[in-house]
Amino acid sequence: MSENMTGENKRQRIMSGMRPTGKLHLGHYFGVLKNWVKLQDEYECYFSIADWHALTTKYNQTQDMKQNVLDVLLDWLCVGIDPNKAVVYLQSDVAQTAQLHIYLSMITPQNWVERDPTLKDLAKIMKDKNENMSDLSYGLFGYPVLMSADILSFNADFVPVGIDQVAHVELTRDIARRFNNIYGEYFIEPKPKLTQTPLLKGLDGNKMGKSFNNDIKISDDEKTTENKVKMALTDKNRLRRDDKGNPDNCGVVYDYWKLFGSQNEIDEICDGCKNATIGCAQCKMKLAKKINESLAPQRQKRLELQNDLGYVYDVLKKGSKQAQQKSQEVLDGAVKMIKMYK
Ligand code: TRP
Ligand code: SF4
């Protein structure tokens, strides 16, 4: 950690979060977590399990919340998020963020929230599903402001996010600038840090997601992984074993090969497929083996963590405490700027 003359930590700060949706899949791993693991060496990182955000849509389905938080935490830790490098915390443990949210909500024009593209999509989905508009809560509409409060709670410089969340970081910048204009220069305008990895499709060729049951979980066992890979989409024109295939029309299996195989193995699969010296079933078995080998250390670590839940809960408790301290500092400064009676 680099320190300047005043002993102040000079590393730039990162904040990001994820909803506790339960066990995470390879899309999370390659799209988000691998990146976080790298970032924790270069930045001061705050990673939040965003359980308040989960409530914005699932306020009436909370029975799995505790398990989901634990599963996300186990997945983060087993892939190498290191509590000695990054602060890992539970959003609802940090009341300071809720306080900051109140202040930010006062200065955020209503139409800024209303033009949020994610919320527009969501409202449309609800409508299409014929769900009542009254199922969309006040808290849901405040979701982007709450996310801004998450980020500004730590005065973060960067927010690593997927493309779907960039609009929220832009809103955060707008809110930070508005605060600074009204009360005086205080908040950093955080920049989105786009994750470059291409989107990993689900095994059926659709968007990967647990609701489609087309994902491989980090925590899946080897047999489950194998069974899932067996179901994967392949070249539709390659119906018989001796039909020659084309990996570029393969759908998803070849994409996964590109992620998990060495260049040699990828070339071998490509040749074998084009010359029909390897069949799809065999190709998939090999791939499943490859995926299992590659994830073995993480899965092993996860099992160990599961047998040491006291430690795991402790990580979150300590992280939340660190997050409280930092965000209290930032909050105190903001409240002072606002000139509240203190
Ligand atoms: N809104 C994000 C999502 O739904 C999760 C999230 C909550 C987040 N707080 C954040 C992401 C702060 C980045 C920064 O996926
Ligand atoms: Fe895809 Fe492999 Fe079948 Fe070729 S052999 S179509 S790469 S699954």
Side-chain angles (χ1 to χ4, degrees):
M1 198 181 292
S2 65
E3 304 216 334
N4 66 16
M5 302 286 281
T6 57
E8 210 181 335
N9 182 5
K10 274 200 314 194
R11 277 197 310 179
Q12 288 190 297
R13 204 170 294 147
I14 272 189
M15 194 278 149
S16 198
M18 210 185 259
R19 293 165 188 237
T21 49
K23 296 189 168 98
L24 302 177
H25 53 57
L26 295 185
H28 297 116
Y29 182 42
F30 287 100
V32 184
L33 296 177
K34 279 194 121 177
N35 188 34
W36 285 11
V37 169
K38 258 201 311 221
L39 292 170
Q40 65 184 353
D41 286 322
E42 300 161 43
Y43 296 90
E44 187 188 332
C45 291
Y46 290 86
F47 297 132
S48 167
I49 301 179
D51 56 346
W52 280 332
H53 274 100
L55 281 187
T56 59
T57 52
K58 307 236 170 197
Y59 55 84
N60 56 357
Q61 300 157 56
T62 49
Q63 60 292 339
D64 297 329
M65 181 75 91
K66 279 185 192 162
Q67 185 59 45
N68 289 347
V69 167
L70 177 62
D71 276 323
V72 166
L73 183 57
L74 286 168
D75 283 331
W76 286 9
L77 297 178
C78 84
V79 301
I81 302 287
D82 181 349
N84 293 315
K85 295 180 182 168
V87 176
V88 171
Y89 76 96
L90 185 64
Q91 184 183 34
S92 66
D93 274 345
V94 180
Q96 288 81 353
T97 295
Q99 289 184 47
L100 184 60
H101 172 256
I102 290 278
Y103 293 110
L104 300 182
S105 72
M106 301 303 168
I107 65 165
T108 304
Q110 180 164 330
N111 62 3
W112 288 11
V113 177
E114 282 169 352
R115 70 179 185 222
D116 182 277
T118 324
L119 288 179
K120 278 190 186 159
D121 288 353
L122 203 69
K124 191 173 173 310
I125 291 168
M126 300 280 279
K127 225 173 165 181
D128 291 349
K129 279 205 264 179
N130 245 336
E131 288 185 46
N132 208 318
M133 273 306 270
S134 66
D135 289 340
L136 299 182
S137 68
Y138 162 67
L140 177 65
F141 282 93
Y143 153 124
V145 186
L146 180 58
M147 180 164 155
S148 301
D150 276 337
I151 298 165
L152 297 180
S153 277
F154 303 97
N155 228 339
D157 300 281
F158 296 103
V159 187
V161 282
I163 189 85
D164 59 313
Q165 295 284 319
V166 168
H168 296 142
V169 184
E170 295 299 340
L171 177 71
T172 308
R173 291 169 62 81
D174 291 341
I175 294 176
R177 194 176 313 125
R178 189 167 165 89
F179 184 102
N180 295 346
N181 285 336
I182 297 171
Y183 302 118
E185 209 53 42
Y186 184 69
F187 283 116
I188 294 168
E189 287 178 35
K191 293 188 189 66
K193 207 173 171 59
L194 264 176
T195 322
Q196 292 305 345
T197 32
L199 204 68
L200 188 62
K201 277 192 235 149
L203 293 166
D204 58 0
N206 296 314
K207 181 176 153 43
M208 191 184 295
K210 76 166 181 179
S211 38
F212 309 115
N213 199 22
N214 61 0
D215 58 346
I216 297 174
K217 308 271 197 255
I218 297 169
S219 53
D220 277 342
D221 62 28
E222 301 201 338
K223 193 71 207 159
T224 306
T225 305
E226 200 182 292
N227 288 337
K228 284 182 176 173
V229 174
K230 272 187 197 162
M231 311 270 288
L233 185 70
T234 57
D235 187 347
K236 289 189 202 76
N237 299 317
R238 203 182 171 199
L239 295 173
R240 282 174 311 243
R241 170 66 186 79
D242 46 359
D243 289 339
K244 290 186 176 170
N246 179 357
D248 295 328
N249 294 336
C250 170
V252 301
V253 174
Y254 194 60
D255 285 343
Y256 279 69
W257 264 116
K258 285 193 245 172
L259 207 56
F260 285 94
S262 65
Q263 194 53 53
N264 267 343
E265 289 167 324
I266 299 168
D267 292 345
E268 221 177 279
I269 291 294
C270 183
D271 273 4
C273 177
K274 283 182 174 160
N275 302 316
T277 55
I278 182 174
C280 288
Q282 196 189 353
C283 177
K284 289 181 186 176
M285 283 305 282
K286 278 187 159 197
L287 174 65
K289 190 158 171 265
K290 201 75 210 159
I291 295 175
N292 282 333
E293 275 169 19
S294 152
L295 291 177
Q298 288 83 352
R299 288 170 168 172
Q300 178 58 35
K301 174 96 194 274
R302 201 179 192 283
L303 291 176
E304 286 164 19
L305 289 165
Q306 257 173 312
N307 286 323
D308 196 4
L309 287 183
Y311 163 80
V312 174
Y313 287 122
D314 217 42
V315 163
L316 199 58
K317 215 165 137 190
K318 282 191 183 140
S320 292
K321 200 159 192 177
Q322 287 173 280
Q324 286 161 12
Q325 275 163 6
K326 184 73 222 172
S327 58
Q328 187 65 56
E329 265 173 46
V330 175
L331 176 66
D332 286 345
V335 168
K336 215 172 187 174
M337 297 297 290
I338 301 171
K339 299 194 174 61
M340 297 303 285
Y341 178 85
K342 277 267 155 174

